[in-house]
């Protein structure tokens, strides 16, 4: 697993996650209609997972690019803020594009919660990946 991670091109995780998020949030009907019953608020969980994934990808790509095993709380906060702002920009794009997608405050809140959680988790994963035995 570690060997595969280190063989990836720089910033590939961030690019892949970003493209997936843009597709899922800015295309009018990104997925086919299926009749799977979901719990109320399931879309908020999806937002949190997407932006947690984005923050995690940015954090891990940054740590690998810089060759560090410890991501400081300040660095993680900046990464979480950037991912949260990306979520806010997407919500605004949904509003101005008028494509049938809604701009919702609670989606933005879920984006932020996911970004903070993803950045925090990535701090631990970076220590595991890049720690004393990570890159050797």
């Amino acid at each position: 697993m570690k060997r595969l991670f280190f063989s990836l091109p720089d910033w590939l995780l961030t690019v892949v996650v970003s493209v997936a998020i843009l597709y899922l949030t800015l295309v009018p009907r990104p997925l086919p209609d299926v009749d799977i019953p979901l719990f109320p608020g399931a879309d908020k969980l999806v937002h949190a997972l997407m932006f947690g994934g984005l923050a995690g990808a940015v954090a891990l790509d940054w740590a690998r690019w810089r060759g560090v095993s410890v991501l400081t709380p300040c660095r993680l906060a900046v990464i979480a803020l950037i991912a949260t702002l990306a979520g806010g920009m997407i919500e605004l794009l949904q509003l101005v594009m008028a494509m049938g997608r809604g701009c919702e405050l609670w989606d933005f809140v879920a984006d932020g919660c996911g970004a903070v959680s993803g950045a925090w988790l990535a701090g631990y994963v970076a220590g595991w990946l890049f720690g004393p035995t990570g890159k050797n």
Side-chain angles (χ1 to χ4, degrees):
M1 175 79 152
K2 291 181 185 182
R3 196 171 292 196
L4 172 66
F5 180 74
F6 287 109
S7 69
L8 296 174
D10 288 343
W11 299 98
L12 180 65
L13 292 176
T14 300
V15 170
V16 169
V17 171
S18 298
V19 168
I21 288 172
L22 289 172
Y23 176 76
L24 291 170
T25 57
L26 295 179
V27 171
R29 299 188 81 103
L31 301 173
D33 289 334
V34 291
D35 291 330
I36 299 173
L38 298 175
F39 57 90
D43 66 315
K44 305 308 178 246
L45 177 60
V46 170
H47 274 264
L49 290 172
M50 285 191 301
F51 288 90
L54 178 60
V58 170
L60 291 176
D61 279 344
W62 189 87
R64 184 172 62 138
W65 180 63
R66 297 290 294 174
V68 298
S69 62
V70 176
L71 293 167
T72 64
C74 182
R75 176 71 59 199
L76 293 173
V78 168
I79 290 168
L81 178 63
I82 290 168
T84 301
L85 291 175
M89 294 297 291
I90 287 173
E91 291 301 317
L92 292 175
L93 281 172
Q94 288 177 342
L95 178 68
V96 299
M97 290 175 70
M99 60 182 173
R101 305 292 297 261
C103 174
E104 294 184 32
L105 173 63
W106 291 111
D107 285 350
F108 176 65
V109 170
D111 297 344
C113 291
V116 168
S117 300
W120 177 76
L121 181 61
Y124 287 102
V125 173
W128 173 72
L129 281 172
F130 307 115
T133 59
K135 236 180 174 175
N136 297 334

